[in-house]
């Protein structure tokens, strides 16, 4: 699903990088910390390093894989 959304955004010329829509450089680490500190119910547990990797890719505008 993540790649389909990424490709759709590409085709629509939607900004792909979170930095391009205003997330500060320290944003991925801060968001990952907030998620891990106050998680809501999710069938899969939260892992800070995985979240940081995904958010860093999103910050840079890279595909989510």
């Amino acid at each position: 699903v993540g790649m389909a959304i990424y490709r759709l955004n590409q085709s629509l010329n939607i900004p792909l990088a979170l930095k391009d829509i205003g997330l500060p450089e320290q944003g991925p680490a801060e968001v990952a910390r907030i998620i891990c500190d106050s998680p809501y119910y999710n069938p899969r547990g939260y892992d800070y390093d995985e979240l940081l990797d995904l958010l860093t890719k999103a910050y840079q505008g890279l595909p989510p894989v």
Side-chain angles (χ1 to χ4, degrees), residues 7 10 13 16 19 21 29 31 40-41 43-44 47 53 55-56 61-64:
R7 288 187 183 127
Q10 265 184 325
N13 293 318
L16 300 174
K19 66 182 178 181
I21 60 170
V31 171
Y40 61 91
Y41 173 75
R44 182 174 174 202
D47 179 273
D53 180 58
L55 289 163
T56 299
L62 300 173

Side-chain angles (χ1 to χ4, degrees), residues 11-54:
S11 70
L12 296 173
N13 293 318
I14 293 173
L16 300 174
L18 293 176
K19 66 182 178 181
D20 294 340
I21 60 170
L23 189 70
E25 188 174 352
Q26 69 279 11
E30 181 68 11
V31 171
R33 183 192 61 76
I34 291 168
I35 291 169
C36 289
D37 285 351
S38 42
Y40 61 91
Y41 173 75
N42 191 23
R44 182 174 174 202
Y46 295 95
D47 179 273
Y48 176 83
D49 292 329
E50 287 179 11
L51 287 167
L52 181 58
D53 180 58
L54 181 64

